[in-house]
Amino acid sequence: MLALRLTRAAHPAVHLRRLLVAAAAAGTGFLLLSALGYAMVHPTHSTAALLRLSWCAIPLAATVYLAIAVARTDPGTKPRPGLSALGLGPARLMAIAALNTALASTLGSLLALLVFLHLRGDLTGMPFDGAAKDFLAANRSLPVPAALTLLAVLPVLASTAVAVTLRPRDLPGRPGRARVYGRFGAYDTKAGRETFGAYGRFGARLFAPPSRPTPPPTAGHAAETAQAAAADTPSGEGTPQAPAGETPLPAPADVPELIAVTKSPTGLPWGIAVLAAGLAVESYAGATEATPETTLPGGLAVGPVGVLAGWALTALGLILAAPGLTHLCGRLLQTARPGALRLLAGRVLMAEATRIGRPLGVVCAVASAAFAALTLYDDGGTLAFGPLTTLGGAVVAGCTLATLLTAAVEARQSRAGTTQALLRLGAPATVLRSAAALRSGALLALFVPLTLLVADLAALPLAR
């Protein structure tokens, strides 16, 4: 009951993100049912039916990626003090997040089934004068087990991915040091091993030996210490002393950094290498006439199989290189004697390079593929965008954009403490908004030309 109240009493923005997952699941489920209907209408074209079903993997992956991003930003799945005593520990919160994802995706799948049955004419009359009966299999009985199996793929994958992503990682011991297991399976972080019988002595772990008292300093020793401190401290630069009854101010070295410095992501060289390999594969496949041809469902593109493989490698390269490019963009903002605004914007970009860069790379990959397809269409090609192609493109583009916005919300939640600290220190709100605008402008200035360049190079093999 408490878990249901936590889910129901969420913020309207949280419910909106869940509805986005349901809408994406509805579109993906309709594409899966359409592939089933095409296979029923054309039982002899098994290769074409399998190709249509395989292309549903792209919107399926985009929907699962969106579900993971939405689950990560759900405030109801964050461990909070007091919930463990009520039975809502990290494992139970992870199960609640997976259940919410399963419910949202199941709702979308049921909506897709209702729309599919309506278009087939099973609920009412067939709309649109039967114009879509080619992939609806309106004159055949729908195999219910096959349809339910296809619709169950997305909820199972999404909930499993959310459970794996949000699994508890609070293992004892510091990261980077090997865990040492003590007697009876107890955790221990000591590097050295205990001697035999150390646990057998009564009171060895309960009563620590009393520490030797420190002798009070003598008057001569105190005077010498004060004279040495006065000699080493310049005049007017001594440590400020707090008045009596007040808490002393911490030293500058004791104040933690507001924005932690992170290491540069290691995927930039690999991303550039994979991107170059993808462009090379596209060029080679486009210049070779003996490469077999393939057609995407809906007539989106016609070309060699190697070109499509090169597109996949190019998209993977963009995704791998995007976090490193985001980190590099934040470093470039801090060059040439930066002020407070550029320093703040650059440090935030460097700290959030992985969280923001990966969804941004996915958006760039999808945008480059869409731009390449539109470029071919404008060149007078024989492309015809059917309804299923439009629906699949809308699902993929919408999921990637929603994932990027959700990652931005997650980044904002993660630096909420930093923002409050800056406001308490007297930073005006306009500075924070200007820093956010500067970060957005820097990312657009870097990734928009890169996306256009990659899209132009990707469209060259098919434009010949």
Side-chain angles (χ1 to χ4, degrees), residues 238-332:
T239 303
Q241 299 294 332
E246 295 186 6
T247 305
L249 296 176
D254 298 333
V255 179
E257 290 186 340
L258 294 178
I259 303 175
V261 180
T262 57
K263 296 181 179 180
S264 177
T266 58
L268 182 58
W270 292 101
I272 294 176
V274 173
L275 180 62
L279 294 176
V281 169
E282 290 178 24
S283 302
Y284 178 77
T288 305
E289 299 180 358
T291 308
E293 301 280 329
T294 185
T295 305
L296 277 67
L300 179 60
V302 178
V305 179
V307 173
L308 300 180
W311 278 8
L313 288 177
T314 302
L316 180 60
L318 282 174
I319 296 172
L320 291 177
L325 292 176
T326 305
H327 193 276
L328 178 62
C329 186
R331 187 174 293 276
L332 290 178

Side-chain angles (χ1 to χ4, degrees), residues 146-210:
L148 294 181
T149 301
L150 287 177
L151 292 179
V153 170
L154 179 59
V156 171
L157 288 180
S159 58
T160 304
V162 168
V164 171
T165 304
L166 299 181
R167 67 187 185 276
R169 297 183 177 89
D170 52 346
L171 294 176
R174 286 179 290 180
R177 294 187 61 181
R179 288 179 292 149
V180 181
Y181 294 91
R183 292 169 176 82
F184 303 103
Y187 289 109
D188 193 6
T189 56
K190 293 183 178 180
R193 297 181 59 86
E194 297 281 354
T195 59
F196 179 76
Y199 280 79
R201 290 188 292 272
F202 177 77
R205 292 280 175 167
L206 297 179
F207 305 102

Side-chain angles (χ1 to χ4, degrees), residues 82-174:
L83 290 182
S84 297
L86 299 175
L88 290 177
R92 185 66 62 85
L93 292 177
M94 177 266 296
I96 292 175
L99 179 60
N100 291 334
T101 304
L103 290 177
S105 54
T106 302
L107 177 62
S109 299
L110 292 179
L111 180 61
L113 180 60
L114 291 177
V115 173
F116 188 78
L117 293 177
H118 173 66
L119 294 179
R120 277 172 49 91
D122 295 338
L123 302 181
T124 57
M126 180 175 291
F128 307 114
D129 298 330
K133 62 182 180 180
D134 184 40
F135 59 88
L136 295 178
N139 54 351
R140 300 174 183 269
S141 60
L142 182 66
V144 179
L148 294 181
T149 301
L150 287 177
L151 292 179
V153 170
L154 179 59
V156 171
L157 288 180
S159 58
T160 304
V162 168
V164 171
T165 304
L166 299 181
R167 67 187 185 276
R169 297 183 177 89
D170 52 346
L171 294 176
R174 286 179 290 180

Side-chain angles (χ1 to χ4, degrees), residues 40 44 59 85 94 110 127 143 152 173 195 229 245 249 252 267 304 336 340 345 390 394 396 399 417 455:
M40 293 170 57
T44 58
M94 177 266 296
L110 292 179
T195 59
L249 296 176
T390 304
V396 174
C399 286

